[in-house]
Structures are given as structure tokens and as C-alpha cells.
């Protein structure tokens, strides 16, 4: 008999953009702890842990799969988000970042490298 309530955590990437389905995504999880603009949540079906960004209408919200709840709030999501930003924007260009003194290649379609895009507030 197929289980209608089976979660799909396994099929999800490690980094999930939940900007457009924030409350829907959260509604399927149990909240374990509240951090600084982030939540520790767990899937009741498969016990997968997630670090979930609090809703912010001005910002892209992400959920990240966590290997454990230990130091969950400081789990590094930055590098995963940067990696996704580069990928979603089509990779790196051949030229260097416009930021003075920065020698990192800029992201395609942008004047800056991913670090400076991130520091400027970009999350996608
Ligand atoms: Zn699950
Ligand atoms: Zn740069």
C-alpha cells in the first residue's frame, strides 16, 4: 500500500530555495529550536534535520540539510549558497572581479565575484 504521507527529503538537494513555499515547507517539519533568524527543524518521517531561514520578504530563504543538530546554528551554509549562486548564474567569466584588489573571477552576467556579490547581500 503506498504511503500518501511519505516525505520527499531524499529527493531534495542539500540546499533548497524555499522563498516561494516557505510556510508550506515548514508545515511538514517539526520545529526543534529557534536561533537568530534561523530554525532547527526535523522531518517527522525520515528524521532529516534542516536549518531553515526565517521568512524575510527582502531575502531569498533557504533550507539546508544538516548532518546533526550539534552546533547547528553555526553550520556553514555560506559556501553552499555561493556555490549555488555561481551555478545558477551560469558559472564564472574569464575576467576578474571589479572590486579593487580582488583577483577572483567574476560571476557571469555580473561585475563581481561571488564573494563580493554575497557581501553585497545577494543570495541567489
Ligand atoms: Zn523526510
Ligand atoms: Zn571580488
Amino acid at each position: 500500500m503506498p504511503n500518501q504521507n511519505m516525505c520527499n527529503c531524499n529527493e531534495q538537494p542539500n540546499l533548497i530555495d524555499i522563498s516561494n513555499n516557505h510556510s508550506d515547507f515548514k508545515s511538514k517539519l517539526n520545529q526543534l529550536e529557534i536561533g537568530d533568524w534561523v530554525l532547527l527543524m526535523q522531518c517527522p518521517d525520515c528524521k532529516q534535520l534542516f536549518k531553515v531561514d526565517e521568512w524575510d520578504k527582502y531575502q531569498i530563504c533557504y533550507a539546508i540539510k544538516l548532518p546533526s543538530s550539534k552546533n547547528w546554528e553555526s553550520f556553514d551554509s555560506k559556501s553552499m549558497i555561493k556555490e549555488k549562486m555561481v551555478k545558477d548564474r551560469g558559472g564564472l567569466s574569464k575576467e576578474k572581479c571589479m572590486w579593487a584588489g580582488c583577483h577572483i573571477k567574476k560571476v557571469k552576467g555580473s561585475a563581481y565575484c561571488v564573494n563580493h556579490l554575497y557581501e553585497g547581500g545577494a543570495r541567489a
Side-chain angles (χ1 to χ4, degrees):
M1 203 180 84
N3 186 344
Q4 296 288 318
N5 297 319
M6 268 295 272
C7 69
N8 66 345
C9 298
N10 245 328
E11 294 138 43
Q12 303 269 13
N14 288 331
L15 179 69
I16 310 158
D17 183 345
I18 54 165
S19 309
N20 295 319
N21 62 339
H22 192 260
S23 47
D24 186 51
F25 184 87
K26 274 171 57 179
S27 70
K28 295 179 186 121
L29 305 174
N30 294 328
Q31 186 170 301
L32 303 184
E33 278 180 56
I34 301 175
D36 187 18
W37 283 93
V38 279
L39 306 167
L40 176 62
M41 304 193 83
Q42 186 171 43
C43 174
D45 298 325
C46 70
K47 308 299 173 205
Q48 173 68 54
L49 293 160
F50 291 94
K51 179 178 168 182
V52 180
D53 286 349
E54 269 285 31
W55 171 245
D56 180 345
K57 65 176 170 179
Y58 300 110
Q59 198 62 269
I60 301 278
C61 293
Y62 285 111
I64 290 145
K65 284 183 182 173
L66 293 173
S68 87
S69 59
K70 206 171 165 233
N71 298 323
W72 69 273
E73 220 188 315
S74 53
F75 183 82
D76 176 37
S77 48
K78 239 190 211 184
S79 51
M80 285 170 76
I81 292 171
K82 285 180 182 174
E83 206 179 292
K84 184 174 163 34
M85 283 167 65
V86 173
K87 210 174 131 226
D88 289 353
R89 288 168 184 247
L92 298 175
S93 93
K94 289 188 176 68
E95 293 141 69
K96 282 174 187 163
C97 172
M98 294 276 286
W99 198 272
C102 182
H103 297 294
I104 301 174
K105 287 193 176 100
K106 59 189 188 184
V107 178
K108 268 189 187 156
S110 161
Y112 301 106
C113 70
V114 71
N115 294 336
H116 283 116
L117 285 173
Y118 191 94
E119 276 170 38
R123 294 295 181 272

Tab-separated table of all heavy atoms in Angstrom, residues 7-9 43 45-48, ligand 1:
chain	number	residue	atom	x	y	z
A	7	CYS	N	7.586	11.443	3.000
A	7	CYS	CA	8.274	12.696	2.704
A	7	CYS	C	9.140	12.533	1.457
A	7	CYS	O	9.405	11.420	1.022
A	7	CYS	CB	9.144	13.099	3.892
A	7	CYS	SG	10.547	12.012	4.141
A	8	ASN	N	9.589	13.643	0.915
A	8	ASN	CA	10.473	13.571	-0.259
A	8	ASN	C	11.843	14.181	0.042
A	8	ASN	O	12.521	14.674	-0.840
A	8	ASN	CB	9.825	14.251	-1.463
A	8	ASN	CG	9.663	15.752	-1.250
A	8	ASN	OD1	9.772	16.242	-0.130
A	8	ASN	ND2	9.411	16.487	-2.311
A	9	CYS	N	12.221	14.145	1.313
A	9	CYS	CA	13.504	14.738	1.732
A	9	CYS	C	14.671	14.179	0.939
A	9	CYS	O	15.591	14.904	0.569
A	9	CYS	CB	13.749	14.493	3.216
A	9	CYS	SG	12.509	15.248	4.269
A	43	CYS	N	12.273	16.545	9.932
A	43	CYS	CA	11.197	15.839	9.246
A	43	CYS	C	10.687	14.718	10.158
A	43	CYS	O	11.475	13.904	10.642
A	43	CYS	CB	11.719	15.255	7.944
A	43	CYS	SG	10.509	14.219	7.109
A	45	ASP	N	9.036	12.152	9.383
A	45	ASP	CA	9.055	10.842	8.716
A	45	ASP	C	10.453	10.216	8.688
A	45	ASP	O	10.656	9.098	9.120
A	45	ASP	CB	8.533	10.968	7.280
A	45	ASP	CG	7.094	11.450	7.265
A	45	ASP	OD1	6.343	11.058	8.179
A	45	ASP	OD2	6.746	12.231	6.372
A	46	CYS	N	11.428	10.956	8.160
A	46	CYS	CA	12.763	10.368	7.981
A	46	CYS	C	13.781	10.913	8.977
A	46	CYS	O	14.932	10.514	8.948
A	46	CYS	CB	13.246	10.589	6.554
A	46	CYS	SG	13.642	12.310	6.206
A	47	LYS	N	13.362	11.859	9.828
A	47	LYS	CA	14.225	12.441	10.873
A	47	LYS	C	15.336	13.330	10.322
A	47	LYS	O	16.278	13.678	11.043
A	47	LYS	CB	14.853	11.353	11.776
A	47	LYS	CG	13.862	10.371	12.378
A	47	LYS	CD	12.853	11.075	13.253
A	47	LYS	CE	11.766	10.091	13.714
A	47	LYS	NZ	10.514	10.775	14.034
A	48	GLN	N	15.270	13.665	9.041
A	48	GLN	CA	16.245	14.591	8.464
A	48	GLN	C	16.149	15.936	9.168
A	48	GLN	O	15.057	16.455	9.384
A	48	GLN	CB	15.980	14.755	6.958
A	48	GLN	CG	16.829	15.814	6.271
A	48	GLN	CD	18.302	15.435	6.206
A	48	GLN	OE1	18.653	14.366	5.731
A	48	GLN	NE2	19.169	16.303	6.703
B	1	LIG	ZN1	11.747	13.397	5.436
